[in-house]
Amino acid sequence: MKNRAQLGRGREASCSDLDTHSDSLSGSAPATHAPDPLAEPIEVAKFWKNRQRNESVHVDLSSYEGHPLVNVRVYATGSDGIDRPTTKGIALGIRKLPELAAGITKALAKARELGLIREAGE
């Protein structure tokens, strides 16, 4: 069996020759690339920020330059009824999501301890 260096001797190697031979050398099937699950942002949660219902908070999973992110952002509702993102918010690398969740959980527990939020069903 020829390796990549030997493949081109005596004739020009095509891309299909290289792909076929590299697959047979590695003993595996051709690699297939899974589609990017964050090619489009995924809205995880959305709720009104205030009573006037002109601002909402969106929690999204998205990517920027190939880096997965969790994005918590305030959106303003325009006079046309369309929500548009504002500069108010935070975008973190997805690896920080467990730390963010732990911080939110601690804040919720502390707010309940202080009587700022009632338990569900009270």
Side-chain angles (χ1 to χ4, degrees):
M1 185 172 295
K2 295 180 180 181
N3 65 24
R4 286 184 186 249
Q6 295 170 329
L7 191 61
R9 290 189 186 153
R11 68 177 178 88
E12 207 173 303
S14 69
C15 289
S16 61
D17 287 337
L18 292 174
D19 291 340
T20 303
H21 288 285
S22 66
D23 292 338
S24 63
L25 288 174
S26 65
S28 64
T32 57
H33 297 284
D36 180 8
L38 298 176
E40 292 293 322
I42 299 170
E43 187 175 273
V44 178
K46 178 181 173 181
F47 53 92
W48 292 113
K49 180 182 174 197
N50 53 32
R51 289 185 181 188
Q52 292 82 21
R53 296 188 175 208
N54 59 357
E55 290 185 320
S56 56
V57 177
H58 295 224
V59 180
D60 300 329
L61 296 178
S62 61
S63 66
Y64 180 73
E65 294 183 355
H67 300 283
L69 302 172
V70 58
N71 192 7
V72 181
R73 187 145 316 274
V74 174
Y75 279 63
T77 305
S79 58
D80 56 1
I82 296 175
D83 287 348
R84 292 184 176 82
T86 68
T87 58
K88 301 172 192 173
I90 184 169
L92 297 170
I94 202 78
R95 286 183 270 170
K96 293 291 186 180
L97 185 55
E99 291 176 64
L100 177 62
I104 297 289
T105 301
K106 284 181 181 180
L108 179 59
K110 191 63 164 180
R112 284 185 174 147
E113 177 186 318
L114 296 172
L116 302 173
I117 298 176
R118 291 186 232 181
E119 293 290 331
E122 285 185 16

